[in-house]
């Protein structure tokens, strides 16, 4: 077994201050379901970080759960959700959205992204279809920042999507499972405040960004989803000891930690990208966050696999494979340097 | 605010060895979704504790979630679940079972329990109803051990229920949210091994019994629920960093900790029950686990509330209220002694 | 086999003018899904009969279907429907409401009815429950006119229910599967206009009241349910050749036929009730519509069964059975006279 | 308004013998829900026509309803259904399948069809995916005969699909909304007997093939779907006066009428196809059943629209439109001749 781990960004535990705080508060007695003061503090910090003083903030446990709960809460029973065909809700959630009764309406995607133009075209086609009453009505747009492929929506792109969606009466929801790595990217132009202004709902990922688990749902205008708490409970998504989530996000948003926690991961990913570029490796697409998609001949892939843990992404052709290397907030500089040395001599 | 907390059994964090283990393993790199070795060890310990070497064990995050996932997995799409009208799934889960499409079929309950006779009568009535094809077909029985009211099914009662259910083709599922307090009760006659022999599925509660969160689902005969992992994912109930659950249950089942962890809570509850009995307090029902249901005149209730945190249970009449006192694995002997003193002089 | 049929009110086909009109229009070419002129005429006639000129009227095929579609359309995803425990949706629809994700919340009923007081008490208890976010939120009230037991809500009762429901933010929906028999009853005080004023939605039953099949849903304020057409389609409840429903209701509402079509059935039921009363038969409850519930010794029941077709209702005790006799718009006076003769000498 | 109607095949009423039989039986008293003798006769005739003596036959009202009920009955709760991206369930059912909790998994289609090879590739990819437990498991294949585009599966193609599906543990279901037009096509090689041998479930369409409404579901091995009747009821799809469906199919299968009823429609469609071909019209695809897809310059389309009713299919480009002409069992030869004359001189 190798000691170099670049397979994904949820292999480690939590940022150390989180574990420390769990320990300090272990015997505190607090009311359940997030009605405690630490959770209140965490929510206030997130509202401040998003410059959204009226926002409702609720903490859920995981990403698929959050997507299912938010989408079911935002849509009317007969509506569907628009997404890139590569979107997580479309391919990797075992039908969790359909389980709630909603169709996932897919758009072709380029580098994991969809455009305002595509949304406009889809919504217009629906509106002008003489048989639209027999179709699934699009009710919202789902996208992720960064995307499944590590790419970023620019502020301009997101603004256009937001305007277009709203012009067609569609809600906009952003999945921020890896949001810390977007915020830490030099190319990023979308702030938390921008997300709060442009999205109807978005979530700030904890699981992949320094927490043991947990995602913070932000609803800038809470009147949009009455009884969200009950919807969470109905979906089996309410954590009894809610303060566990409060503690984690209170730490992640203390002194703007969340804005910085992805920096080392992105910097290390950049180092890897640099050597790949220098050595002439083929990447399927180059992004500026913490994921790297690399095409290798099968023989070299096997050689690399004996030294480094990575993820298989897809078969490129009979002789080549696309693999994924991922860094995280916990990746060690020395491991990255070791990986770089290996890549140079592969 | 008072410092005496007897409101519920999920106010504190985790048993100390769990936090220690989380710390020790924090930077380990393990595969996600429970495919790690710690989780494998936890499962094996539970299989051993249940004397169920073939059992599938899966870890979920919370109780309502576990009930929804298991019940949806056990039932065919057109079947409903039989339960006491006081059952948690019937009253306190915000419709999580109906959300999955299943009707909750209620039976009157005595002290929180249902009987083999009731199940037999219900199932027979269904089977003999000429219009049964227009009714919801009962597919399983849900009960909890201990019940919502802290009472216990005896081995004899549970054996009769299991036989009756199976004779009618119904599955039997036991909710063990507070199972540690049943196992620690002197009156208890139902072991983990008994549960594994009598139930088609049961869960061993962690959240209220020493874990930060988590419930261990035990399926003695795994062929009963093919693709249970996918069902968990579909319900948004799959934890990315599965080892967090593995760690907690590996600790809870190290050296039979789970069998002992409820003992101090039950002993302290007994001390409280004794003084209530001595002083002539009225209890709505006396059980042998960690919950106490007490009827107080409203004026005395207010007096008590100024010194002790408890839960409001229900209005008994215009002048009396039923309150609930609960002890937990983390309750301190000195707090209980202080409560006893207060009750003596109230 | 007997030739006297009093088992139910959906054994026969359709009122003759309906069959005639089906024949006359058989080769007409009309657009599908109810976009034809006959359907438009039927809707207009119903709006006039209900004095509800703005109402949306939609035609569905059957009663359970209508209940499921309307309830799902009226409720938010996390809400439940309040009904008498004897309500059709609670006991005889195979879980069709839960299939749509909604809990059926039951109230004890007296003679098949519920009261404004019960609704007020339930809704108030919910509103004042400190844990209400963990409960199913009541979103509407379901009742039927006449009830499953043939009894009628008076205008005063229905007005009180409507006010109470609306005061608590609950919608009111009336199931009129047998509405023609209510409208034809001498005791009836609730007109179609009253229903349109007091209910958020109600349906005018066709299947049991002269049509081959079909129920007319009336939504006095259509803004209450946007995209109802799509909801119908999503539930698989949209009839391709919509004009078949239009034709039937256009005939049923031509010259106020629907207001009169139940008269002969009620008159014949009255004749039966009179002889039962004269001869000292025991009725479980006496109503003024087209259903009669009769307690018979088992031996007499068998004797009657050899001459008359009726329905078994329930076992009263070891020696007695409750049976149901039902008349319909198609019942023949001579058959009723024959039945009366038999009852006199049984 | 024009008197030439070629817009769709559900504009007319029913085959005359059906109306006659409805009239003859109008005052018969029969038990509800299909438990009558006429329905029994219809089922037996269908079993004979399919050479499937053990088959369960159930009658539903409409196509979308039938698809939703059958697919929900065939799939486990966590499974999805494979279909051509042009399949009716994918695009024109307002999300009725997702409403039941199931994902529609789409395959690219050629002329409305999918191939055994595509199914094999999809299922194999699923089976070999290391993350398959996070994906929607394919549980069945849906296809229609003829397809939405009027094309036919050959016996060879359907046999290959059946073998491939079953080899991967997938059920096969055929939607026969227009099956009479397939059976009447000279190119057709798939008999009712073949469908019963190759499919797990299929339905024989009535609505578009001579009935007022109704589809006959055939389950060659009834043990495949226990409690299908209750599932129908749960979906709100059970017709109270079931004999109405029995009567229609008893007539449609008397003297093999169903095998012949599409013949005149197909012959007339052939006449139209011939003239289109002679005159050099562009068809998007030529099939051998009762639908014709024609590309017209917009100006000619408008000219045609002033004389003939057809359906708009899709915009081909800025200057051209695809329209659809459809014949039915009720199309008159003289109307077709008139249409042919118009097309010759357009």
């Amino acid at each position: 077994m190798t000691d170099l781990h670049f397979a994904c960004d949820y292999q480690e535990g939590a940022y150390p201050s989180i574990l420390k705080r769990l320990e300090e508060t272990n015997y505190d007695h607090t009311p359940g379901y997030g009605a405690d003061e630490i959770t209140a503090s965490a929510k206030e910090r997130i509202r401040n970080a998003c410059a959204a003083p009226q926002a409702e903030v609720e903490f859920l446990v995981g990403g698929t759960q959050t997507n299912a709960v938010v989408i079911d809460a935002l849509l009317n029973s007969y509506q569907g959700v628009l997404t890139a065909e590569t979107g997580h809700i479309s391919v990797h959630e075992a039908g969790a959205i359909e389980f709630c009764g909603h169709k996932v309406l897919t758009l072709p995607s380029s580098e994991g992204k969809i455009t305002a133009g595509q949304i406009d075209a889809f919504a217009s086609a629906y509106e002008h279809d003489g048989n639209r009453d027999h179709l699934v009505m699009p009710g919202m747009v789902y996208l992720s920042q960064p995307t499944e492929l590590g790419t970023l929506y620019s502020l301009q792109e997101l603004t256009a999507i937001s305007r277009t969606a709203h012009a067609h009466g569609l809600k906009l929801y952003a999945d921020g499972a890896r949001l810390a790595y977007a915020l830490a990217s030099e190319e990023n132009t979308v702030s938390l405040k921008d997300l709060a202004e442009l999205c109807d709902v978005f979530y700030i990922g904890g699981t992949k960004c320094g927490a043991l688990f947990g995602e913070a749902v932000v609803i800038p205008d809470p009147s949009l989803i009455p009884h969200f708490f009950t919807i969470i409970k109905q979906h089996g998504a309410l954590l009894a000891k809610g303060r566990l989530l409060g503690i984690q996000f209170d730490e992640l948003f203390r002194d703007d930690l969340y804005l910085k926690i992805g920096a080392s991961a992105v910097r290390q990913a950049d180092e890897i990208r640099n050597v790949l570029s220098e050595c002439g490796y083929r990447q399927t697409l180059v992004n500026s966050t913490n994921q790297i998609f690399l095409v290798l001949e099968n023989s070299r892939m096997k050689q690399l696999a004996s030294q480094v843990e990575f993820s298989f992404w897809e078969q490129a052709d009979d002789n080549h494979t696309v693999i994924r290397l991922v860094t995280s907030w916990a990746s060690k500089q020395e491991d990255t340097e070791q990986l770089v040395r290996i890549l140079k001599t592969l």
Side-chain angles (χ1 to χ4, degrees), chain A:
Chain A
M1 285 293 279
T2 170
D3 279 339
L4 293 177
H5 301 280
F6 292 88
C8 75
D9 39 16
Y10 45 96
Q11 290 197 318
E12 297 95 352
Y15 197 78
S17 68
I18 286 175
L19 285 187
K20 189 155 159 284
R21 186 85 176 275
L22 284 176
E23 187 124 14
E24 288 167 4
T25 58
N26 193 48
Y27 289 102
D28 287 3
H29 292 85
T30 50
Y33 308 113
D36 64 279
E37 291 180 11
I38 302 172
T39 300
S41 163
K43 291 180 176 183
E44 191 58 20
R45 283 184 179 171
I46 287 175
R47 279 189 283 261
N48 288 339
C50 298
Q54 309 301 329
E56 177 174 352
V57 179
E58 298 292 345
F59 300 114
L60 297 180
V61 169
T64 294
Q65 179 183 80
T66 301
N67 287 337
V69 171
V70 168
I71 290 170
D72 194 40
L74 273 175
L75 291 180
N76 287 321
S77 63
Y78 49 90
Q79 295 177 320
V81 51
L82 266 174
T83 179
E85 62 193 358
T86 51
H88 201 259
I89 58 168
S90 177
V91 286
H92 281 113
E93 301 194 347
I97 305 305
E98 290 83 2
F99 180 69
C100 303
H102 302 293
K103 191 176 187 77
V104 177
L105 302 160
T106 56
L107 296 171
S109 83
S110 171
E111 305 198 338
K113 297 199 283 183
I114 52 176
T115 67
Q118 285 179 292
I119 295 165
D120 186 50
F122 188 98
S124 297
Y126 169 79
E127 291 156 8
H128 292 94
D129 192 314
N131 289 318
R132 68 180 166 282
D133 290 343
H134 298 248
L135 308 181
V136 174
M137 182 185 184
M140 65 182 287
V141 174
Y142 163 98
L143 53 78
S144 49
Q145 173 79 335
T147 69
E148 287 291 295
L149 303 182
T151 50
L152 293 175
Y153 286 92
S154 71
L155 180 55
Q156 197 178 359
E157 289 169 335
L158 199 66
T159 302
I161 286 174
S162 175
R163 283 188 191 153
T164 301
H166 292 145
H168 288 286
L170 306 176
K171 305 287 188 301
L172 178 58
Y173 165 55
D175 174 334
R178 292 189 170 97
L179 191 54
Y181 305 110
L183 296 173
S185 163
E186 291 200 352
E187 290 190 9
N188 179 55
T189 55
V190 179
S191 68
L192 287 173
K193 184 164 173 287
D194 295 327
L195 286 168
E197 279 174 12
L198 298 172
C199 298
D200 295 285
V201 183
F202 66 101
Y203 86 79
I204 300 170
T207 300
K208 292 171 177 167
C209 305
L212 288 171
F213 61 88
E215 328 293 332
V217 176
V218 182
I219 312 173
D221 173 5
S223 72
L224 195 65
I225 308 182
H227 302 285
F228 189 50
F229 185 95
T230 293
I231 296 170
I232 294 171
K233 177 77 180 177
Q234 179 195 30
H235 281 252
L238 188 63
L239 193 66
K241 299 181 186 173
R243 82 168 183 232
L244 299 177
L245 289 161
I247 285 167
Q248 296 185 80
F249 279 93
D250 202 47
E251 288 303 316
L252 286 174
F253 278 83
R254 181 196 296 273
D255 303 330
D256 289 337
L257 172 61
Y258 195 83
L259 303 181
K260 298 171 279 190
I261 201 169
S264 64
V266 172
R267 197 185 57 239
Q268 290 175 52
D270 282 342
E271 291 175 26
I272 300 166
R273 277 187 280 264
N274 286 343
V275 73
L276 291 174
S277 172
E278 282 168 24
C279 300
Y281 281 89
R282 196 168 118 221
Q283 297 181 55
T284 55
L285 125 166
V286 180
N287 63 56
S288 64
T289 60
N290 69 322
Q291 298 188 79
I292 295 159
F293 298 89
L294 193 60
V295 189
L296 286 180
E297 292 151 40
N298 292 344
S299 57
R300 287 176 89 199
M301 182 193 67
K302 279 174 197 156
Q303 206 181 323
L304 185 64
S306 68
Q307 298 169 278
V308 178
E309 189 195 0
F310 52 79
S311 9
F312 167 84
W313 195 251
E314 60 184 2
Q315 211 59 45
D317 60 38
D318 281 359
N319 301 316
H320 295 80
T321 302
V322 183
I323 68 161
R324 187 182 66 157
L325 296 164
V326 191
T327 59
S328 87
W329 62 273
S331 295
K332 290 185 200 136
Q333 178 64 25
E334 66 217 53
D335 288 355
T336 292
E337 285 168 13
Q338 177 71 2
L339 171 63
V340 160
R341 274 193 294 275
I342 292 169
L343 289 169
K344 278 184 174 162
T345 61
L346 194 67

